[in-house]
Amino acid sequence: MWSRGQSWAIYGYTMVYRFTKDRKFLDFAEKVTDIYLKRLKETSDDWVPLWDMDANPTAVDCNVGNDGAYKGIPKDASATAFSKCLPIKDTIILRYLNL
């Protein structure tokens, strides 16, 4: 699962909802966000996603740290920046951070 692609999906479906007010688009954006944040928690120790959240740590030069986070797989800071700019961040992302 590519983190940047997930960020684009979250943004795109949120914007479609914003302009159409059709709830199915917001519901889908929430589902994509749920998966994105679940995988982010599983694979990152610093809230910066791996460029490929399905990367096989044995297939690349990396290992899994004591905290369970993958070490050595490239990260995608642009996906982080992009997802933080989303108009749904206050209602979806912050609930996962318990803020």
Side-chain angles (χ1 to χ4, degrees), residues 18 31 44 46 57 63-64 70:
R18 185 175 176 190
K31 287 179 184 179
S44 179
D46 61 2
N63 57 44
V64 178
Y70 291 52

Side-chain angles (χ1 to χ4, degrees), residues 8-98:
W8 274 108
I10 295 166
Y11 177 80
Y13 283 101
T14 302
M15 293 305 292
V16 171
Y17 167 73
R18 185 175 176 190
F19 289 104
T20 66
K21 303 298 184 210
D22 187 334
R23 181 69 195 191
K24 70 182 173 191
F25 295 110
L26 184 59
D27 291 343
F28 192 76
E30 290 175 344
K31 287 179 184 179
V32 174
T33 302
D34 288 342
I35 293 167
Y36 175 87
L37 292 173
K38 177 183 179 289
R39 295 304 311 277
L40 182 62
K41 288 179 181 180
E42 294 171 353
T43 60
S44 179
D45 58 352
D46 61 2
W47 290 96
V48 178
L50 302 175
W51 68 275
D52 182 351
M53 292 181 178
D54 290 330
N56 181 350
T58 61
V60 295
D61 184 22
C62 70
N63 57 44
V64 178
N66 292 336
D67 58 1
Y70 291 52
K71 310 292 184 197
I73 298 175
K75 295 203 171 205
D76 191 344
S78 64
T80 302
F82 189 69
S83 63
K84 290 185 184 287
C85 295
L86 298 171
I88 58 169
K89 69 179 182 184
D90 293 333
T91 59
I92 296 176
I93 294 176
L94 293 180
R95 79 176 179 210
Y96 286 92
L97 300 177
N98 296 319

